[in-house]
């Protein structure tokens, strides 16, 4: 199986969000694509690709080659298993033990 066909399949999965098992028959077998993807992920290949492409793509867009800022929204970062008021209070049951008024 050609690497190009595997890359096309990975890009299809990324673009459509379909599950690996539902990869259309026009692509290589899903197990082949998945095993290549996982091996590349484990070996840092995707990080190397992103690092190699970042500067030229940003320059092509007329931006500085290195990012100067980043933003993270609350949907991207998990802060606690529990949420809100429950996570910030003692579990003793006493209202006096609460951190919040």
């Amino acid at each position: 199986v050609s690497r190009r066909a595997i890359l096309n399949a990975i890009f299809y999965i990324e673009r459509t969000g379909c599950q690996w098992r539902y990869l259309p028959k026009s692509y290589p077998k899903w197990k082949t694509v998945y095993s290549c993807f996982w091996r590349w992920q484990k070996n840092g290949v995707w990080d190397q690709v992103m690092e190699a492409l970042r500067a030229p793509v940003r320059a092509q867009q007329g931006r500085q080659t290195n990012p100067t800022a980043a933003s993270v929204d609350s949907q991207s970062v998990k802060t606690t298993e529990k949420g809100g008021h429950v996570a910030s209070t003692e579990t003793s049951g006493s209202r006096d033990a609460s951190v919040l008024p």
Side-chain angles (χ1 to χ4, degrees), residues 74-81:
S74 63
Q75 297 297 314
S76 301
V77 177
K78 189 177 238 182
T79 57
T80 180
E81 288 298 318

Side-chain angles (χ1 to χ4, degrees), residues 3 11 15 19 21 30-31 33-34 39-40 44 48 56 65 70-72 75 77 81 86-87 94-96:
R3 286 187 180 161
F11 295 153
R15 186 176 57 251
Q19 296 175 3
R21 291 179 186 264
W30 76 268
K31 286 183 180 183
V33 175
Y34 180 76
R39 188 170 47 252
W40 293 343
Q48 293 172 19
T65 56
S71 68
V72 179
Q75 297 297 314
V77 177
E81 288 298 318
V86 174
S94 168
R95 187 151 170 76
D96 296 332

Side-chain angles (χ1 to χ4, degrees), residues 34-47:
Y34 180 76
S35 67
C36 286
F37 172 81
W38 181 246
R39 188 170 47 252
W40 293 343
Q41 178 71 25
K42 188 173 82 172
N43 293 333
V45 171
W46 293 116
D47 292 333

